[in-house]
Amino acid sequence: MKIDTNDILNSILESLDHVDYIRPEEIPNIDLYMDQVTTFMDHHFSSTKRYDEDKVLTKTMINNYTKNNLLPPSVKKKYSKEHVLLLILIYYFKSILSIKDIETVLKPLREKYFSEGGAIELSALYKEICEIEKARIEPMKASVMEAYEKSQSSFADLPAGEDQDELKLFTFICSLSFDVYLKKMMIEKIIDGLTAEEAKSDKK
């Protein structure tokens, strides 16, 4: 089977071009019932699902997030705009971090910025973070291109053909995976530092 790595690369780069975020103004300003929250999330994240049967958000997930202190409880069975913003962040984090780590990362947002009276509104905080991340897409595309080009120069001693193509693709996958591995390791070290500092504060 002929592997067209150029098609794979172009597909990846095209998908990066379409990466965007849900803007705060797209979230209803009225409190929502749980069914409305899951419908909203399904609608906005349907394009990110790998398989059609994948669930973006379910009632069980929301209840588990609340039980594990990732999400403040609903008020009279309704969820505010701030609830939805946290659920969006949880959706992104859950593919790389444990529930416990997400709880640690989101703790300042829950405690300081979820309700009125914080130094900055949660919607403004969320928007600034997303704008910074959006600006990183072009550098990421350049990094992906570099990884691809290096993978294409690998196994040059093998005869051109299916075996060489497979190994070049494997090299490309390994390069992208190594980036994810290193970044995940760095995130976990930061979180471990936060947890250690919190433990010290609790002992005082």
Side-chain angles (χ1 to χ4, degrees), residues 2-19:
K2 175 67 176 174
I3 302 169
D4 194 331
T5 50
N6 272 314
D7 275 357
I8 293 171
L9 176 66
N10 290 333
S11 177
I12 292 171
L13 296 178
E14 185 181 351
S15 68
L16 289 175
D17 281 333
H18 291 93
V19 170

Side-chain angles (χ1 to χ4, degrees), residues 54-122:
D54 289 347
K55 300 293 183 184
V56 173
L57 185 67
T58 65
K59 294 179 181 180
T60 301
M61 289 179 192
I62 293 176
N63 287 330
N64 283 336
Y65 297 156
T66 302
K67 184 174 70 176
N68 287 285
N69 297 318
L70 276 67
L71 188 72
S74 61
V75 179
K76 296 180 180 178
K77 297 186 178 180
K78 286 189 173 184
Y79 295 84
S80 65
K81 187 173 187 174
E82 287 70 28
H83 280 105
V84 177
L85 289 169
L86 286 184
L87 285 168
I88 293 169
L89 293 172
I90 292 168
Y91 178 77
Y92 288 123
F93 280 131
K94 72 176 184 177
S95 62
I96 55 169
L97 297 177
S98 69
I99 290 292
K100 187 65 181 173
D101 283 347
I102 298 173
E103 180 195 354
T104 301
V105 170
L106 293 181
K107 185 177 180 180
L109 274 65
R110 292 192 316 273
E111 294 184 351
K112 296 181 180 180
Y113 309 110
F114 185 80
S115 302
E116 292 181 5
I120 183 174
E121 289 185 358
L122 185 57

Side-chain angles (χ1 to χ4, degrees), residues 142-190:
S143 175
V144 170
M145 280 293 300
E146 181 185 7
Y148 174 77
E149 288 166 1
K150 286 184 177 178
S151 72
Q152 291 305 291
S153 65
S154 64
F155 300 102
D157 53 333
L158 289 179
E162 183 177 333
D163 290 346
Q164 188 189 61
D165 289 345
E166 284 180 344
L167 291 174
K168 285 180 177 179
L169 182 60
F170 178 69
T171 303
F172 184 40
I173 292 170
C174 286
S175 181
L176 297 177
S177 299
F178 189 59
D179 284 352
V180 175
Y181 167 75
L182 288 179
K183 288 176 181 178
K184 185 173 186 289
M185 184 176 67
M186 288 186 280
I187 293 167
E188 289 173 344
K189 283 189 175 296
I190 294 170

